[in-house]
């Protein structure tokens, strides 16, 4: 009997725990002892999960504490932890049974002192500067007098009132306000979206595209201004195609957007002063320029007049210029009558000498003899020339007439052949057109004719030569004829007829009715 019972081993009466029981007990103990703690340490590994949660390690010289920031809490953090940053994390300790480890559920995290925050800011500034986002050659000049000014700021603060008031005093311009949060977790994404939104406006659209942007916020602590140190805001400011003025905080406050902006203003009011000139000063400057233009014009006219007068003094007087030619003219005028008289006398003497050598009677006789000789030779010359011309014309006509006749006949024959071919072609075209029209009319006639309707299962009922269209007309008719697609069938009006009915195609005779009996129902066929 004793062999059937196992021997008791020492320690067998200790209770047995499951893995879940042990994990739950440890979890309750840790959460009970460390329900809410603040832990100071250096941020080690940081991982941003695709779900939105942030996993990080807090470490010191020898130990590491795992931490997690849930997605909803991560969006509320003012400062996102970065590797190497010394922080103070606030949260509660718990366990993660899946890996048998304990971890800190971070509810809030802040830099451990101003030095840590400034160190992180300096590290970010150097990284962005190394990319060339703060380079001077990237900055654009501010327009002298912009038509439209875009302001990115809070619509409920005193900043926008100061900007509008200063613009109204200096030079009123059209202002577009893009409302954003200027601190907290929404600050950075809203400011970056506003800068990019203004740049996406199309010129000439329903909403005018600004010529200048002002990003403004009042003074505050470095934590309050931290949204303007975020990388997304700095990159949006550096990528802006519209010139941008940064007016964040007071004169002593410096954020990273100040380095990326095209120009930094110490205060929002100073940004408005940089944006537009003073209208009164501009009017005074224009008036001064106008006065200088008038003085320069008058002075130029005076100098040119003086120069003209100086040059006129070096010229001789008009009377002096005319005196010597007038004297020469008087001298030649006095010599002219004597010269004319001497010329006339010389010509008379020469004419008398020539006339003495000439005898008019001899000239007339010599001319008459020449004329008689030419008159005697004229008839013979005319008859000889006429004979030559006639002989030449007759020979040419004799040689050219057959060739001309043949050429004319060939030309007429070619013209006739050409006209014949043109007429034949025109006749063929006309005949083809008429044939096509006839074929079309024939097809239309066949389509509209009743024979096509008969092919679809219809029939035509006639009484003699008239077409029967009602039952009453069919009852009155003595004999009917039905036309089908393949022929006509004579029938009687009261029925009984067929193709083999009465001779001659007439209607069959009706059978005599029995006296006193019911009327006989006739057959339609």
């Amino acid at each position: 009997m004793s062999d059937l019972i196992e021997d008791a081993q020492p320690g067998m009466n200790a209770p047995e725990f499951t893995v879940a029981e042990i994990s739950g007990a440890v979890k309750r103990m840790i959460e009970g002892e460390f329900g809410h703690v603040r832990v100071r340490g250096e941020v080690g590994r940081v991982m941003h999960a695709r779900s939105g949660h942030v996993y990080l390690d807090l470490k010191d010289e020898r130990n590491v504490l795992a931490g997690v920031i849930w997605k909803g809490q991560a969006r509320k953090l003012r400062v996102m932890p970065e590797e190497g940053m010394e922080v103070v994390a606030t949260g509660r300790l718990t366990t993660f049974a899946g890996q048998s480890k304990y971890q800190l559920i971070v509810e809030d995290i802040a830099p451990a002192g101003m030095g840590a925050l400034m160190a992180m800011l300096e590290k970010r500034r150097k990284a962005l500067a190394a990319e060339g986002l703060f380079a001077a050659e990237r900055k654009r000049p501010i327009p002298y007098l912009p038509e439209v000014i875009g302001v990115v700021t809070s619509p409920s603060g005193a900043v926008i009132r100061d900007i509008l008031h200063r613009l109204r005093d200096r030079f009123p311009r059209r202002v577009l306000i893009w409302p954003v949060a200027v601190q907290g977790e929404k600050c950075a994404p809203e400011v970056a979206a506003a800068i990019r939104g203004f740049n996406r406006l199309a010129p000439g659209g329903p909403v005018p595209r600004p010529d200048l942007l002002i990003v403004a916020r009042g003074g505050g602590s470095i934590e309050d201004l931290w949204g303007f140190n975020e990388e997304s805001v700095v990159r949006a400011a550096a990528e802006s195609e519209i010139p941008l003025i940064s007016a964040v905080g007071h004169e002593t406050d410096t954020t990273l957007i100040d380095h990326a902006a095209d120009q930094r203003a110490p205060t929002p009011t100073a940004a408005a002063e940089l944006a537009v000139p003073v209208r009164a000063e501009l009017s005074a400057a224009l008036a001064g320029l106008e006065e200088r233009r008038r003085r320069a014009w008058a002075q130029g006219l005076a100098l040119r007049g003086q120069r003209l007068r100086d040059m006129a003094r070096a010229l001789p007087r008009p009377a002096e210029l005319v005196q010597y030619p007038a004297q020469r003219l008087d001298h030649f005028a006095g010599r002219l009558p004597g010269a004319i008289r001497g010329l006339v006398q010389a010509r008379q003497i020469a004419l008398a000498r020539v006339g003495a050598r000439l005898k008019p009677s001899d000239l007339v006789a010599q001319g008459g003899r020449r004329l008689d000789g030419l008159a005697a030779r004229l008839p013979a010359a005319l008859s000889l020339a006429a004979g030559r011309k006639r002989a030449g014309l007759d020979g040419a006509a004799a040689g050219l007439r057959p060739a001309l006749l043949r050429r004319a006949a060939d030309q007429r024959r070619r013209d006739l052949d050409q006209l014949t071919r043109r007429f034949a072609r025109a006749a063929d075209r006309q005949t083809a057109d008429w044939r096509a029209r006839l074929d079309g009319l024939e097809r239309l006639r066949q389509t509209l004719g009743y024979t096509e309707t008969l092919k679809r299962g219809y029939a035509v009922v006639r009484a003699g030569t008239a077409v029967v269209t009602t039952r009453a007309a069919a009852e009155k008719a003595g004999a009917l004829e039905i036309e089908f697609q393949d022929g006509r069938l004579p029938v009687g009006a009261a029925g009984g007829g067929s193709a083999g009915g009465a001779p001659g195609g007439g209607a069959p005779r009706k059978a005599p009715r029995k006296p006193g009996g019911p009327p006989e129902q006739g057959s339609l066929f």
Side-chain angles (χ1 to χ4, degrees):
M1 187 69 179
S2 61
D3 295 336
L4 299 178
I5 301 175
E6 295 181 355
D7 296 335
Q9 298 179 1
M12 291 296 294
N13 58 349
E16 295 179 352
F17 295 97
T18 63
V19 175
E21 290 174 346
I22 291 293
S23 298
V26 173
K27 182 180 181 68
R28 287 191 298 271
M29 182 179 297
I30 292 178
E31 290 181 352
E33 292 294 332
F34 303 95
H36 190 270
V37 294
R38 296 178 74 243
V39 181
R40 180 168 181 165
E42 180 183 348
V43 178
R45 177 187 58 89
V46 179
M47 185 185 70
H48 296 267
R50 302 177 67 179
S51 60
H53 307 318
V54 179
Y55 299 93
L56 72 159
D57 292 338
L58 295 176
K59 62 181 181 178
D60 53 14
E61 291 81 1
R62 293 179 297 176
N63 302 296
V64 177
L65 174 62
V68 60
I69 307 174
W70 302 127
K71 177 176 62 175
Q73 194 65 31
R75 290 198 296 262
K76 299 178 182 180
L77 295 179
R78 292 181 298 176
V79 178
M80 189 60 64
E82 298 180 4
E83 187 174 352
M85 180 179 178
E86 188 176 1
V87 298
V88 176
T90 303
R92 55 187 178 84
L93 278 177
T94 185
T95 61
F96 179 50
Q99 295 182 356
S100 298
K101 71 175 184 179
Y102 62 93
Q103 60 186 4
L104 177 66
I105 306 298
V106 179
E107 299 175 356
D108 188 19
I109 192 169
M114 190 63 66
L117 197 60
M118 295 304 295
M120 184 180 66
L121 181 61
E122 181 64 18
K123 178 182 177 182
R124 183 177 297 173
R125 186 190 68 80
K126 291 181 179 179
L128 296 176
E131 296 183 21
L133 299 183
F134 304 155
E137 56 270 14
R138 295 176 58 96
K139 300 184 183 299
R140 300 171 180 82
I142 303 300
Y144 180 71
L145 187 60
E147 290 291 334
V148 182
I149 300 175
V151 180
V152 180
T153 187
S154 173
S156 59
V159 172
I160 187 61
R161 292 194 296 272
D162 294 341
I163 293 176
L164 295 177
H165 177 70
R166 186 51 58 95
L167 290 176
R168 185 168 54 251
D169 290 344
R170 292 175 64 86
F171 206 118
R173 297 281 85 186
R174 188 172 182 180
V175 178
L176 297 179
I177 303 174
W178 195 301
V180 296
V182 292
Q183 70 181 45
E185 68 276 2
K186 295 182 180 180
C187 174
E190 290 186 1
V191 171
I195 296 174
R196 292 190 172 96
F198 273 131
N199 279 270
R200 281 194 295 267
L201 292 177
V207 179
R209 192 172 191 262
D211 302 315
L212 178 66
L213 294 183
I214 298 177
V215 179
R217 189 210 186 279
S221 63
I222 188 172
E223 291 85 359
D224 295 335
L225 303 179
W226 192 257
F228 298 93
N229 292 321
E230 293 293 341
E231 183 176 350
S232 60
V233 176
V234 176
R235 292 188 181 277
E239 295 168 359
S240 176
E241 297 179 358
I242 303 174
L244 187 142
I245 297 177
S246 172
V248 178
H250 296 304
E251 186 171 0
T252 57
D253 298 327
T254 302
T255 56
L256 294 183
I257 192 176
D258 296 335
H259 301 286
D262 298 303
Q263 189 166 349
R264 178 183 179 270
T267 60
T269 305
E273 295 176 356
L274 293 174
V276 294
V278 179
R279 182 164 55 180
E281 295 178 357
L282 185 60
S283 300
L286 290 176
L289 292 175
E290 177 64 19
E291 183 62 26
R292 289 180 58 188
R293 186 189 66 82
R294 291 179 180 178
R295 288 199 304 268
W297 181 260
Q299 186 178 1
L301 289 178
L303 291 175
R304 285 171 174 78
Q306 183 63 36
R307 184 179 181 186
L308 181 61
R309 288 190 295 271
D310 295 340
M311 295 177 66
R313 294 191 188 99
L315 294 175
R317 296 180 181 180
E320 296 177 356
L321 294 176
V322 178
Q323 286 176 357
Y324 179 70
Q327 184 178 0
R328 292 182 61 191
L329 180 62
D330 293 341
H331 174 69
F332 288 122
R335 295 174 57 189
L336 182 60
I340 292 176
R341 286 194 297 269
L343 179 62
V344 171
Q345 291 176 0
R347 293 300 175 91
Q348 288 177 349
I349 294 171
L351 181 60
R353 291 176 180 175
V354 174
R357 293 196 302 268
L358 293 177
K359 292 181 178 180
S361 58
D362 295 341
L363 294 176
V364 171
Q366 185 179 0
R369 287 193 297 272
R370 290 184 61 190
L371 183 61
D372 293 340
L374 293 175
R377 293 169 58 189
L378 182 60
L382 288 176
S383 59
L384 180 61
R388 290 177 179 176
K389 293 290 183 181
R390 187 179 297 109
L393 290 176
D394 291 342
L400 293 177
R401 183 174 298 172
L404 292 175
L405 292 177
R406 286 193 302 271
R407 189 179 301 171
D410 293 340
Q411 184 64 34
R412 285 195 298 271
R413 190 179 299 106
R414 284 193 298 269
D415 294 343
L416 183 60
D417 293 341
Q418 185 178 3
L419 290 175
T420 302
R421 288 192 297 270
R422 290 177 59 188
F423 179 76
R425 288 195 297 269
D428 293 340
R429 286 196 299 271
Q430 186 67 38
T431 304
D433 293 342
W434 287 346
R435 184 176 293 107
R437 291 182 61 188
L438 287 176
D439 292 342
L441 292 174
E442 178 62 20
R443 288 193 297 270
L444 181 62
R445 184 192 66 79
Q446 291 179 1
T447 303
L448 299 178
Y450 77 96
T451 56
E452 296 297 325
T453 306
L454 295 179
K455 292 179 181 180
R456 295 197 297 270
Y458 293 89
V460 179
V461 181
R462 291 186 176 87
T465 59
V467 178
V468 178
T469 58
T470 62
R471 178 179 178 180
E475 291 178 351
K476 292 180 181 180
L480 300 176
E481 186 181 45
I482 303 176
E483 182 179 359
F484 296 96
Q485 173 187 355
D486 54 350
R488 297 187 179 185
L489 176 66
V491 296
S498 64
R509 298 179 179 177
K510 296 181 181 180
R513 295 173 55 185
K514 296 181 180 181
E520 182 181 357
Q521 177 65 39
S523 174
L524 182 60
F525 301 101

